Amino acid sequence: MTSLLLYKQLFVYLIPFNVLIGEYNLGMQYRIGEEWAVDLNLGYVDDTEGALTAELYQDILQSGVFYYHGPLVKVSALSLVPRGPNPLKTDYNQLEFACRFLRYDNLDFEDENEPGKLFNISEQMKAVSLSWKAGYIIVPRNTFEMNGFVGFGIQTRFKNTIVNSYGTNYQSNVFILNDVSSSIQFVPLFHAGIKIGLKTPLKESSQ
């Protein structure tokens, strides 16, 4: 019996709209079989304080502005079943594990209860997450592809916070504290985006 096996295809892509939230990354997806692929995504999170998107998160979504910066890495396994036998009729399903190594240094925060009183704070955060994404091919081509995805996940954040100093009259360096605290936080995630990239041709072999 002879069957056609599709394998060894490389898809190099960007997620362009992530730039709006200060995330720059490059993904590489390698097809290891007819229905399976592995994915590696490397990137950097930039501080978006003062940007339009930071103001939108603060004003519309009631979320804090983004002070963090640092590298990230995402590793995934994908099941490739075009319009597969599932209620969502997805082209692929992706299970993703991600790590982020973020920090900010020597930022002043005003005490909400005492105007003019500032705290100078530094923070390190390691965040790990596990997510599921459902993907749909929007523009299928031999060498170019655009696909969209939606999904959800859970993230665990490990924070080390240092209150370096505080002071009044908008001077944060009057009293030196060096007060260190640690915390763990669980955060639900929602994913939505578009991948755009180039593909190498599929190789074929007969069995």
Side-chain angles (χ1 to χ4, degrees):
M1 179 178 180
T2 300
S3 62
L4 192 64
L5 178 64
L6 304 177
Y7 69 111
K8 294 185 179 179
Q9 181 185 56
L10 183 65
F11 176 41
V12 180
Y13 65 88
L14 300 173
I15 307 178
F17 293 123
N18 278 5
V19 175
L20 298 176
I21 58 173
E23 183 175 305
Y24 305 87
N25 52 20
L26 176 68
M28 294 165 285
Q29 185 182 116
Y30 186 65
R31 188 166 183 167
I32 58 176
E34 186 175 2
E35 296 183 356
W36 293 97
V38 292
D39 188 291
L40 176 64
N41 191 298
L42 302 176
Y44 187 83
V45 176
D46 198 13
D47 175 10
T48 59
E49 167 63 4
L52 176 61
T53 50
E55 295 178 4
L56 290 175
Y57 272 92
Q58 186 177 32
D59 298 336
I60 298 177
L61 301 179
Q62 301 300 311
S63 176
V65 290
F66 291 167
Y67 302 105
Y68 295 101
H69 57 87
L72 65 90
V73 59
K74 304 176 185 179
V75 180
S76 305
L78 292 89
S79 173
L80 310 171
V81 186
R83 297 298 186 265
N86 61 74
L88 299 177
K89 301 298 181 183
T90 58
D91 289 311
Y92 66 84
N93 291 281
Q94 180 174 358
L95 185 64
E96 176 185 271
F97 176 76
C99 294
R100 298 168 185 263
F101 305 91
L102 308 178
R103 64 182 298 128
Y104 62 78
D105 302 294
N106 296 308
L107 294 181
D108 287 341
F109 295 89
E110 185 174 7
D111 190 332
E112 296 180 354
N113 299 318
E114 296 185 42
K117 182 177 182 180
L118 300 182
F119 292 89
N120 184 271
I121 298 175
S122 300
E123 187 169 278
Q124 296 179 342
M125 180 174 71
K126 297 180 178 66
V128 295
S129 61
L130 185 64
S131 301
W132 169 81
K133 298 177 180 178
Y136 300 88
I137 306 297
I138 301 173
V139 180
R141 295 290 188 272
N142 290 331
T143 58
F144 172 82
E145 181 178 303
M146 177 188 297
N147 70 67
F149 61 87
V150 294
F152 60 88
I154 185 71
Q155 183 182 77
T156 305
R157 299 174 178 176
F158 304 90
K159 295 183 180 182
N160 288 324
T161 304
I162 304 173
V163 181
N164 303 302
S165 59
Y166 79 96
T168 57
N169 297 322
Y170 297 98
Q171 298 293 324
S172 65
N173 59 351
V174 178
F175 302 99
I176 304 301
L177 288 181
N178 290 325
D179 185 15
V180 182
S181 62
S182 299
S183 64
I184 298 177
Q185 184 180 18
F186 298 94
V187 180
L189 301 176
F190 175 74
H191 303 283
I194 291 176
K195 299 178 184 177
I196 300 175
L198 300 175
K199 300 187 297 183
T200 60
L202 281 170
K203 295 183 179 180
E204 302 177 356
S205 67
S206 297
Q207 291 184 341

